[in-house]
């Protein structure tokens, strides 16, 4: 039975989660959506069988079949929605930040502690990025020794108009705060910020970029370049400097390790690793097509043409000469 | 309503497709499985609600709710299964090769032509690989001019025991045959094979590696290194040499283009591109956890710790000094 | 005592060699130059102490102090100049090709055989390229096993106006012919050429690009993309596919080896490797400056400023705080 | 006339400079060497025509033909040697640091100021590294906008036994101090040092690694990882983060720029760029061989074999078929 989810908030992130639950991942369905803007909620729910539309988060959580809650509303609305979910004993995935300030987060945490069991998962998505996961595994395996430093880069092409200097920390560096804790299994014990002269490409008044420095409980020093108007694109790098080598991600080549005189990246073991995502996308595209009444992708003609090429190839292996491929006229059905 | 699929063949590939339809992608469910080995079929179907188990492909296609067929049985069994699907008007995704020889493929194609509409999709998964798709778009956009050559490398760490010299073409180079046709929109008109002295790492009698050369209807020359016992891993490269530059994939850095004095790779525009897959995996992991009765991932404690770090960070922005982070004892619930 | 060299031919390559002998490398001097164009010869020799100017190669070889000959004249003039050098027992470095046709080369070789000792060195400069040398050492050490294939790319941005289809082989692929022989220690036993439809970026009538295939005495298959109007720059790649891995050069990352599940490049052992060339250039620039009456490069002021920064750095190590650097006014002498 | 140089100090660096002046670069010769250890001095001078050997630096500077001085003795000996060179009006290249402490450097600078003309060049060799020079040019051209941050990594495989925590700054980070000033054309105005828990791979008592932070007169923030026991090799990275992109060096791919949605490296324009160093090494190797009485490198036989391959290649172009290459027996002279 698929898991019925109430999605609270159908703005950019929320609508994207609705699409994801409805058509990308398996095992779940959108059972209800809620948004203060009823039109926006209706639009997000359009075409989803059995999805009810609400303006009140609590009403959405009470809709039939709801067994879990995904909160993607604005930060200030999180606390109330979390407490409503707790009241119903529903597990909840909440976009970061849990609440805009530590006091609210503390109240949420204390409420969960009173329940005596975990219901909350915070949406720090980097923990699910394949490069970050490889980095985490590499650090955990310990072949490179203990981590000594992390060098992080966090770059956005352009910041949205409402962005403030504080948000460089609260909205952006918060990801490095969590990634540091998760990668190292240590707490951050001190923070310092160095502020170069701001870029002329940043909006007036925004102190962009900055160099944020963390110290951790295990004596690791972390430097984070946060630059939300770098102009050229989105990049998230992280290099862990360890006692016997380094491991870095985010520079376009996957996980690169330095150690014993070499900089190296792993080569996949076999096609199931290399093309894992391609298989997922292939079957998903085929299913989506059929549901829309279409048969797409490589046709029987494509299979036939490939077979004739292989036939010629096998003859060419044997004779050592150039072998022509004779293809009949392509039927109109496969045009 | 999710699409009911009958999966024919539950060996390695088939069982993987069952898992994919059941728990990875959305919008579909495994309604029936068939395998000559009933135990293997039962094992693949275990735990899937409403999935019937068969030894006869036709019976599986007749099971309630079946609206599409995925064929992953051995090559010689494909033709019969395809014709059964045609008899029921069911769309079918068939693993390559469609049939082991061109004559069988021709019969399948003729049967589909008699139906007068497409039902078959052949599982050439490279067409769904994100690097191949970028390469295809790059060629289609035409900024680099017309393609003149393709350089392809197709390397497996090790071939299975039953592999023959012919299978280098039929099982391996068949992917390059399809990729060549798909990338260029041209037919292969001739094939030649050069055979270096075989590697001592290849099984006795296997002519591995080989250099396979295609000519196409548009005058493109394609060279394919096929090496199924390269020993070091799985790699699929392709470089398209065009009139004004080249575009290559498969060397661990995504799509790299050469043109106008530079070799370059694209930087993602924003986080929705960079972390698209991470969001999918995050929500999928959360759903899977809940279905198994577990709440996992970043906890309220993690949210609280990150909030305290951000709070210190904002103070550090303002004062320019090192600011300590005071964390309370971690509650046992979040240990 | 430095070696006196007669440079025959002072066109582009010859003039460059004159400059190289005069001011780049040590242990040699240009004792004489010869060119049919006396003005061009004079220009090349300008400012070189003790360098005589000639129009006749033989006269240049007879000039006082000449102990070796460098031939950089046009191909058809090589044979006569080589025989003149032989007549004088002078060692000779001759730009490739030794002569424009095999018959001439055979005569030169037979003349040298009659002398009974080697005098000729052919200017295949790739043998001196650091990447090629690393590749050669890697193949020789044998860790990757026997070589099975070479994949070569040879690309020029644009061909000169006089370039012909034959010259793709004689002027360009000749480098791969030598590199193949040198890297593998094997002879080329057969050649085949595949010709895609020519690029519209190539001059009318020039069959550019081509795919040239070599077979060698050791059963290695070599493919060479020759493309002399690729438009985007100059590139020379070579990947050696061996029994247990591959080694490739020319893609901008030095020597990259694939083996045992990793693609890797070497990291230099120490600064003498990493900055070897920088030290050479530093001392050369200093010497050149002094000879032109100038003292350049980092000044005492630069040394002083760096010292003050280090002083502050050491204090900062101790106190853990930010330490300011107080620099006096910069004296005008160091402006 | 070549420049006569007195080399003061013939330890590791000094002996390397003697070799460099004698046999690598042109236009200069070692006229005298001095070392407190007379044997070491003699050994360095062995085989160099006209090179006198001294224990007293002043005596070496007074030797016939000396027109410039290269100081490579230990730091504490620099000041006296510099003042001796000043007394003789000789230009001097002095290895860094100019003197071990700022007070001594100030005295040297003041002495030079009294002379009223520059004689000193400090050996900051990074200014001559081709990657650093490209980076400097890129910053100067200004296409990426003003520099905002520099991220530097400075890693040694292992520190020598006598290395102290202070030397991390004075001996190692001094290079980044100079590089920062030179790349940016700005002064360093403050320094801070963050010290992670030392690596267990570092000698007891050595605070290794550290993160050194510079602020500059133009508001640039610079972070320097100094790690002199990283274990895996020698690496010097530098990434300049600018208003419209970044430029980085040291990661094995030359200069990489990020800007306008792409990460890119330059492709050489032509072979004179790509193989510039190979030509230098070719002619140098030829000259060195002749001076040692040897003719080495590609022989007439190699030229002949390449010519026969080309001949077959041209025939293969014309006929489109495989053309065999017939090579005669290789004469013993070319074995």
């Amino acid at each position: 039975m698929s898991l019925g989810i109430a999605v609270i908030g159908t703005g950019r992130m929320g609508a994207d989660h609705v699409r994801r639950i409805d058509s990308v991942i398996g095992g779940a369905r959108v059972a209800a959506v809620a948004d203060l803007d009823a039109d926006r909620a209706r639009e997000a729910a359009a075409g989803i069988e059995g999805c009810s539309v609400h303006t009140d988060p609590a009403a959405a959580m009470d809709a039939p079949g709801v067994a879990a809650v995904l909160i993607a509303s604005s930060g200030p609305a999180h606390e109330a929605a979390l407490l409503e979910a707790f009241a119903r004993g529903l597990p909840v995935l909440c976009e970061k930040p849990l609440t805009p300030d530590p006091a609210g987060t503390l109240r949420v945490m204390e409420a969960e502690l009173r329940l005596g069991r975990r219901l909350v998962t915070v949406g720090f998505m980097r923990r699910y990025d394949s490069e970050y996961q490889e980095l985490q595994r590499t650090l955990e395996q310990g072949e490179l020794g203990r981590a000594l430093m992390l060098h992080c880069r966090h770059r956005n092409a352009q910041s949205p108009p409402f962005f403030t200097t504080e948000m460089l920390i609260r909205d952006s560096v918060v990801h490095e705060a969590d990634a540091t804790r998760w990668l190292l299994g240590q707490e951050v014990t001190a923070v310092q910020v160095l502020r170069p002269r701001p870029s002329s490409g940043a909006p007036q008044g925004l102190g962009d970029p900055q160099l944020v420095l963390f110290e951790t409980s295990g004596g690791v020093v972390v430097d984070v370049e946060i630059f939300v108007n770098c102009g050229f694109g989105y990049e998230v790098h992280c290099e862990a400097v360890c006692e016997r080598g380094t491991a870095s991600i985010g520079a376009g080549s996957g996980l690169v390790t330095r150690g014993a005189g070499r900089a190296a990246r792993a080569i996949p073991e076999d096609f199931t690793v290399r093309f894992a995502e391609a298989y997922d996308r292939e079957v998903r595209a085929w299913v989506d097509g059929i549901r829309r009444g279409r048969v797409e992708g490589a046709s029987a003609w494509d299979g036939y043409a490939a077979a004739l090429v292989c036939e010629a190839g096998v003859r060419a292996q044997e004779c050592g000469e150039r072998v022509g491929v004779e293809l009949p006229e392509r039927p109109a059905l496969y045009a």
Side-chain angles (χ1 to χ4, degrees), chain A:
Chain A
M1 192 46 204
S2 68
L3 183 77
I5 297 174
V7 176
I8 311 303
T10 56
R12 184 185 177 186
M13 282 301 296
D16 196 47
H17 280 308
V18 167
R19 175 197 63 78
R20 179 171 289 113
I21 296 164
D22 184 49
S23 65
V24 179
I25 68 164
R29 67 199 164 79
V30 186
V33 297
D35 201 292
L36 287 177
D37 179 339
D39 287 344
R40 195 161 74 168
R42 238 185 313 273
E43 198 179 327
I48 302 180
E49 217 180 293
C51 174
S52 59
V53 175
H54 311 263
T55 53
D56 175 20
M61 297 182 203
D62 288 332
V66 168
V69 179
L70 192 161
I71 300 179
S73 49
S74 69
H78 286 189
E79 184 175 348
L82 284 160
L83 297 177
E84 293 284 1
F86 289 179
R88 286 156 183 82
L90 295 172
V92 54
L93 176 62
C94 182
E95 277 298 320
K96 60 95 203 170
L98 211 41
T99 74
D101 62 325
T105 309
L106 185 58
R107 285 192 297 271
V108 168
M109 196 170 77
E110 288 170 346
E112 194 182 36
L113 283 167
R114 280 192 298 273
L115 286 172
R117 63 189 173 103
R118 277 194 54 186
L119 287 179
V120 173
T121 300
V122 186
F124 287 122
M125 85 289 189
R126 289 194 191 173
R127 297 187 180 203
Y128 300 91
D129 175 61
S130 54
E131 291 192 10
Y132 265 98
Q133 292 187 335
E134 271 188 87
L135 177 57
Q136 194 271 339
R137 276 193 299 270
T138 300
L139 293 177
E140 201 172 57
Q141 285 162 359
E143 275 179 45
L144 301 177
R146 192 165 48 83
L148 304 168
M149 293 184 176
L150 298 183
H151 303 304
C152 308
R153 314 280 160 260
H154 186 153
R155 295 164 180 164
N156 293 73
Q158 208 181 347
S159 62
F162 53 80
F163 221 72
T164 65
T165 297
E166 273 193 35
M167 293 172 79
L168 260 71
I169 303 290
R170 294 196 200 280
D171 265 54
S172 299
V173 178
V174 65
H175 284 291
E176 271 76 21
D178 183 64
T180 294
R181 297 180 64 254
W182 175 69
L183 287 172
L184 301 177
Q186 299 176 18
E187 295 297 346
V188 174
T189 55
V191 189
Q192 187 182 352
V193 180
L194 293 191
R195 302 175 61 161
R197 191 193 289 185
S199 171
S200 64
Q204 195 66 19
L206 193 69
D208 186 36
Q210 300 188 0
L211 189 74
V212 180
L213 302 159
F214 295 154
E215 298 167 34
T216 76
S217 51
V220 175
V221 169
V222 180
D223 55 275
V224 182
E225 174 200 318
I226 175 64
F227 191 3
V228 297
N229 290 280
C230 79
F232 60 81
Y234 181 76
E235 280 199 324
V236 169
H237 296 211
C238 183
E239 179 174 30
V241 180
C242 303
E243 295 182 309
R244 287 188 292 280
T246 83
S248 61
I249 58 171
S253 305
L255 180 79
V256 174
T257 53
R258 285 171 164 76
R262 337 215 87 199
R265 63 174 181 81
I267 296 173
E269 266 173 69
D270 65 17
F271 70 96
T272 61
V273 177
R274 169 64 181 86
F275 287 114
E277 203 205 341
Y279 281 112
D280 290 353
R281 298 174 65 181
E282 175 188 81
V283 178
R284 184 177 296 139
W286 176 64
V287 166
D288 287 353
I290 294 173
R291 294 179 81 188
R292 292 193 315 272
R294 301 216 285 253
V295 172
E296 295 167 326
S299 67
W301 170 259
D302 295 315
Y304 185 55
L308 289 179
V309 172
C310 290
E311 207 56 25
V314 171
R315 288 217 308 282
Q317 278 184 325
E318 290 158 3
C319 72
E321 303 288 326
R322 179 185 180 282
V323 175
V325 179
E326 294 293 328
L327 209 63
E329 191 81 356
R330 184 196 287 241
L333 182 65
Y334 306 115

